Each structure stands twice: as structure tokens, then as C-alpha cells.
Amino acid sequence: MRPTTAFLSLVLLAGSACTHGTNIQQGTPVTPSSTDLTERSRELAKRVIIADGHVDMPYRLREKLGPDGEPTEDVSQRTAEGDFDYPRAVEGGLDVPFMSIYIPAEYQETGGAKALADSLIDMVEKIARKSPEKFAMARSVEEARRNTREGKISFALGIENGAAIEDKLENVAHFQRRGVRYITLTHSKDNLLSDASFNAGKRTWNGLSPFGKQVVAEMNRVGIMVDVSHLSDDAIRQAVETSQVPVIASHSSCRHFTPDFERNISDELIRAVAAKGGVVMINFGSAFLSQAANAYQQQIHKDITTFATTRGLKPDSPELKAFVESYLREHPAPLAKVEDVADHIDHVVKLVGIDHVGLGSDFDGVGPTLPIGLKDVSQYPNLFRVLLERGYSEADIEKIASGNVFRVWQQVEAHAASR
């Protein structure tokens, strides 16, 4: 997820009972054994493959290109900014981040969406080529596993916003050849494929468009996972029904905790995704996790928009920036905690079982709204510790970390290969 408006972007930039393989009830504290849980969680993060469904590193780098057109940050080294770099990924045990090829909604109107997607893919491939001892591309689960065995971090690719397909069905196969392994059908506004959750006041298609249904079928044919994050409820429902293989929600949390936030996925739709064999991958942004943080984000967006529009201010206006800074000092943002991420995992497991939940952090996409204890890619062990404390087995955590999304990925590969 990237901010849905320029004003929200300004805000983000300024604010710097179930069982789990045991008979322990959900949320019941477990008395630690003699093994220190902190060390055990770190060891577990090193041992299992961690696949994160959504990391916005490519667009983060694109926003700060140097005069030569190259990124000013080198993510093969520790960086002062952002949530992802190689040293921190190694520290946290991250193996397979799906790098988001993010296409802002305005490209649907101005054109150039496919070209932007190709340029971002080029950037990710170049980063991997420049540090072959650290990074490698992953076009399949087999490649991802091999890269991990060789001590490399895999870059898998997911396009965020099917606007990159433009109006040409053949572009689906083009992006499959380029290594894209999921496509989020839309983003913050309705596009040629689908209605968007953030565009609640308008429903262009009442779900998927006829072209969107063709695109889903073509994604099935060529072996690209269908991602239903950002879609309206009707569009999610229709995507699940149309797809012949399981779908994923690459970075969505549970609407149970944020009832008025359609961007999160409802219990009904979690059940629908799971019934098809799919996976809901939990977003780490505080506004996705807690009602207090969600209400705060909506209020601050409203207040800043009102201030700007009544004064005719542009997003880069010094007066608007000063207002935001003052607002944040007087009204500090409530942040979720790592335990809240575990609560969302618990909720999915309670509804549909351990096989249908994963991790989709939205690192580098939700800015300073990340929860206490999960501020960057070095901190996955903190979440593992909470899950161990709640009685999840190591086999359960491995499914959450990568096993479930790898299963879907392989099913989609196998379906395409059988055609």
C-alpha cells in the first residue's frame, strides 16, 4: 500500500478459541521453558524461510533517484532510511520479500503504467545483478528455496495495481516472462479491471469488469497469482469465484478489528479466500491493526485536507508542512504493537485454520505507522516470539512464514504447467 492521496503521503512522511498444533487455547500465555524464547525465536527466524508478501522498496528508491537516474540508497548495505536493506534482512531472517512494483492510480489516466512497471522491474534486477552474493531473483518456489540454501535473499515480484496491464491482455504474459508472480488487480481507484476498496463512493463495475475477468483467467493460464488486496468486497468475491486456483491477499489485515475500513478483509471474505485454498497475508500498518490507529489516520487526513483546501494549499506548501508538524506534536499517533499483528493471525486461524494466513508487512509502504516491535525487516523474530508464547508450534510458524504462500504459488505454477 502506498498513501492514497498526496495529503496522506505528507502525513506519513512527517510522522517520523483455537489451537495451534497443541491443546493450548488462543491467547493463553505459555510459561517459557528453560530455552530462552527470545533466542529461540531468533534461531527459528534463521531456520525457516520467511516470505513477506509485500515490501515497497522499489518505489521507495525511485522517489529518491540521483542526477544519474540511479537510486541514491544502496540496499546491499545498511541504509539510514527505509525499512529494508540487506544487513537488516539477514538479522531478521527474511529470505523472500515480494518486491512491490507499485503503479500509482494517476498512471491509469496519464498513461505510462506498463513502462513504469518495466522500469521498476529493471531496477530490482539491477540491484540483484550488482550484488550477486547477496541477492537473486526468484521466479519460482524452487528458485526461492535454492537461493535460500545458497545464502541469498530472493527478490520475488508482485505488481501492485493491474493498471500496468493497460488495456492489452497480452501484457499479462509479458509480465509473467519478466518474473512477476502476483498482480494486485487495482489500487486506490477503480481501474479497467476492478473496483477499489478505497473508492467506496464509486463503483464502476460492481466488482470486476469483463476485462478484469479475462485478466484473471489469463493470470491462471500463465501462472501469476491473483492478489485481492485493495479490491472492493464484490470484486474480491468475484475474483475468488472466477479464478480456477487459490488467490492471495498479499497485504490485508482483518476487518473484524477495524469495522469501517473496507481495505481490510471481512470474515466472510476470509472464509471465501480460504475455501478456495488461498492465503490472507497480514499487513503490519497500525491503521490496519487497531481501531484507534485507524480512526486517528482518518481524522488527521480529514483535518489536513480541510486545512489545505480551505487555504488553497498544495501538498508541498511550507504552510501545510508546518501545520502537519504542529498537528503531530499536539496529537501523537497511536501505534499498534507486535501483539496486534499476532491478534490478526489468531483471528484468521480461528476462522479458517493455520493453512490460510501469512505475512504481508507493507514495509516501506506504511511509513512511521509500523507497530512497536515490528519497525523494519530485522524484527520478524519479535513476532515469532509472541506466537511461540501463544502456543503456536514451530511447524505452524513455518506455515505462516512461507509455507502457506509457497503452497499457493506452487498450485498456480502447476495449473499453468498443466494447460
Side-chain angles (χ1 to χ4, degrees):
M1 171 194 171
R2 302 294 300 181
T4 59
T5 71
F7 296 129
L8 180 54
S9 176
L10 182 62
V11 172
L12 294 177
L13 291 171
S16 299
C18 76
T19 60
H20 318 296
T22 70
N23 291 322
I24 298 169
Q25 294 297 309
Q26 172 189 346
T28 303
V30 180
T31 302
S33 67
S34 57
T35 303
D36 176 58
L37 280 181
T38 298
E39 185 58 33
R40 184 179 167 199
S41 66
R42 288 174 180 160
E43 292 174 354
L44 182 59
K46 300 292 185 185
R47 189 165 69 252
V48 306
I49 295 178
I50 299 176
D52 190 316
H54 197 87
V55 176
D56 267 304
M57 181 268 286
Y59 209 82
R60 159 195 155 197
L61 297 185
R62 183 183 183 273
E63 289 180 318
K64 294 185 178 181
L65 297 178
D68 58 356
E70 296 296 318
T72 57
E73 292 182 275
D74 179 2
V75 295
S76 71
Q77 308 298 322
R78 190 173 296 273
T79 58
E81 298 181 1
D83 308 326
F84 173 90
D85 58 42
Y86 178 80
R88 286 182 288 173
V90 170
E91 184 179 343
L94 176 61
D95 301 286
V96 189
F98 276 85
M99 289 297 169
S100 172
I101 306 304
Y102 165 61
I103 310 300
E106 57 262 29
Y107 280 80
Q108 298 162 193
E109 301 165 359
T110 63
K114 176 180 177 291
L116 174 59
D118 279 324
S119 72
L120 291 171
I121 295 169
D122 290 343
M123 177 194 293
V124 176
E125 291 179 338
K126 188 171 183 179
I127 292 169
R129 286 196 304 271
K130 288 178 67 175
S131 300
E133 75 287 359
K134 296 179 178 180
F135 302 125
M137 304 303 296
R139 293 169 172 260
S140 66
V141 173
E142 180 182 354
E143 284 187 358
R145 293 188 185 280
R146 182 175 70 242
N147 293 340
T148 300
R149 289 194 299 270
E150 294 175 355
K152 300 176 183 179
I153 292 174
S154 292
F155 290 153
L157 298 175
I159 290 179
E160 185 177 27
N161 193 352
I165 296 166
E166 298 181 338
D167 59 353
K168 297 179 176 61
L169 192 64
E170 59 265 30
N171 284 338
V172 177
H174 164 78
F175 285 120
Q176 194 279 340
R177 291 190 296 270
R178 294 231 55 191
V180 171
R181 291 302 176 261
Y182 77 68
I183 297 175
T184 317
L185 297 182
T186 190
H187 188 251
S188 58
K189 295 182 180 180
D190 300 356
N191 64 11
L192 293 180
L193 309 183
S194 174
D195 294 338
S197 62
F198 280 129
N199 211 26
K202 179 182 179 182
R203 289 292 182 251
T204 303
W205 308 107
N206 293 315
L208 299 183
S209 71
F211 182 57
K213 292 178 181 178
Q214 289 183 317
V215 166
V216 168
E218 181 69 355
M219 290 168 69
N220 289 173
R221 186 187 73 82
V222 302
I224 296 177
M225 290 181 283
V226 176
D227 177 22
V228 300
S229 288
H230 283 285
L231 274 59
S232 69
D233 284 3
D234 284 340
I236 293 174
R237 196 173 293 111
Q238 292 170 25
V240 171
E241 292 170 353
T242 302
S243 180
Q244 297 181 49
V245 288
V247 307
I248 62 170
S250 68
H251 59 306
S252 295
S253 299
C254 304
R255 200 180 304 166
H256 170 82
F257 298 94
T258 57
D260 299 323
F261 189 45
E262 189 177 351
R263 173 65 178 81
N264 273 346
I265 190 165
S266 70
D267 287 2
E268 173 214 344
L269 292 172
I270 291 172
R271 291 189 180 99
V273 168
K276 198 67 171 270
V279 180
V280 174
M281 308 179 78
I282 302 302
N283 191 304
F284 293 178
S286 288
F288 291 77
L289 299 173
S290 81
Q291 182 59 28
N294 189 271
Y296 172 89
Q297 180 167 297
Q298 293 186 44
Q299 186 61 49
I300 190 173
H301 178 258
K302 178 181 177 181
D303 292 347
I304 291 173
T305 300
T306 299
F307 181 86
T309 54
T310 56
R311 290 163 176 79
L313 301 176
K314 295 182 178 180
D316 58 354
S317 161
E319 184 181 352
L320 182 57
K321 291 182 179 180
F323 174 78
V324 171
E325 291 171 0
S326 173
Y327 190 107
L328 292 172
R329 284 195 302 270
E330 296 174 10
H331 308 281
L335 293 178
K337 299 179 181 179
V338 61
E339 289 83 2
D340 293 304
V341 176
D343 288 347
H344 283 252
I345 292 171
D346 282 345
H347 187 73
V348 176
V349 174
K350 179 180 179 180
L351 281 176
V352 295
I354 193 66
D355 295 323
H356 303 286
V357 66
L359 307 177
S361 65
D362 217 341
F363 281 135
D364 281 327
V366 290
T369 74
L370 288 162
I372 297 167
L374 280 174
K375 290 298 186 185
D376 62 32
V377 294
S378 71
Q379 296 193 325
Y380 297 98
N382 293 343
L383 176 59
F384 288 5
R385 176 179 176 130
V386 175
L387 295 177
L388 289 169
E389 289 171 342
R390 294 188 181 189
Y392 286 80
S393 70
E394 293 191 2
D396 291 334
I397 293 173
E398 185 169 10
K399 287 186 175 184
I400 296 166
S402 62
N404 292 335
V405 71
F406 277 7
R407 170 181 51 78
V408 173
W409 189 355
Q410 286 178 310
Q411 286 179 267
V412 172
E413 289 178 334
H415 177 82
S418 69
R419 295 174 68 85

